[in-house]
Amino acid sequence: MIPAPRKMSPLDRNLVKRAVKLALDDLKANHSQDFLSSRALQIRSYAPDLAKTISGLILSSSDLDFQGECLSLLGLQSQEVGSESLENCIKERIVSVIAMNDTKPHNSQQMGPFLFEELEDPVQDLEFQENDFSPLDLDF
């Protein structure tokens, strides 16, 4: 005879929820490419060509300051950069941005993250501008 399942306490239920959430977060973090939508997979298929084009533009520039700034934004040192390593770095960035944006609802009004820097919260910036005041508004 199978014993009747015991009733879970709220603490047990909370622990199970947290364990499942952590397991799912870990699965998504380590295997995010396996959970992409068909739209993201289609967009991702263009990443190698785009990365090759961008790396070609960077490496073909005669402006060493421009090259250095681009490599710096990608977290690379100019000594360690070859065409293939630059391409791979750019492709990884593109693919990661596609994966991050794929988790958002498609009707979201938020802008996606840039490849080279994180955006500040546009809503927070708008609120700051609305509350901005002139020094002439101050009473002395």
Side-chain angles (χ1 to χ4, degrees):
M1 185 162 160
I2 299 174
R6 73 177 181 97
K7 188 172 179 169
M8 291 177 66
S9 72
L11 180 62
D12 290 340
R13 190 173 292 124
N14 190 25
L15 287 173
V16 169
K17 283 181 183 179
R18 289 177 61 194
V20 169
K21 183 183 179 332
L22 288 172
L24 288 173
D25 289 346
D26 184 59
L27 186 64
K28 281 194 253 181
N30 293 326
H31 301 282
S32 63
Q33 305 306 316
D34 297 335
F35 297 103
L36 292 177
S37 67
S38 60
R39 181 173 178 249
L41 289 171
Q42 183 181 14
I43 294 169
R44 194 180 96 186
S45 71
Y46 298 107
D49 291 335
L50 183 57
K52 185 174 185 173
T53 302
I54 293 171
S55 69
L57 288 170
I58 292 170
L59 294 175
S60 68
S61 175
S62 59
D63 184 350
L64 296 179
D65 289 337
F66 169 75
Q67 282 186 355
E69 184 67 23
C70 290
L71 297 176
S72 174
L73 287 171
L74 291 165
L76 300 172
Q77 302 294 323
S78 58
Q79 306 90 301
E80 65 185 37
V81 174
S83 175
E84 192 173 320
S85 64
L86 180 59
E87 257 181 68
N88 287 335
C89 180
I90 293 171
K91 184 175 77 172
E92 288 172 14
R93 293 270 182 134
I94 292 170
V95 168
S96 70
V97 168
I98 291 168
M100 283 190 325
N101 286 328
D102 192 46
T103 61
K104 294 180 182 177
H106 293 298
N107 60 357
S108 173
Q109 296 297 321
Q110 276 188 316
M111 293 175 52
F114 289 137
L115 290 175
F116 303 114
E117 61 185 77
E118 291 194 28
L119 286 176
E120 292 182 23
D121 185 9
V123 174
Q124 185 181 25
D125 290 343
L126 181 62
E127 288 174 7
F128 177 72
Q129 290 171 358
E130 289 174 357
N131 296 331
D132 203 8
F133 57 91
S134 166
L136 299 176
D137 295 339
L138 297 175
D139 293 325
F140 291 106

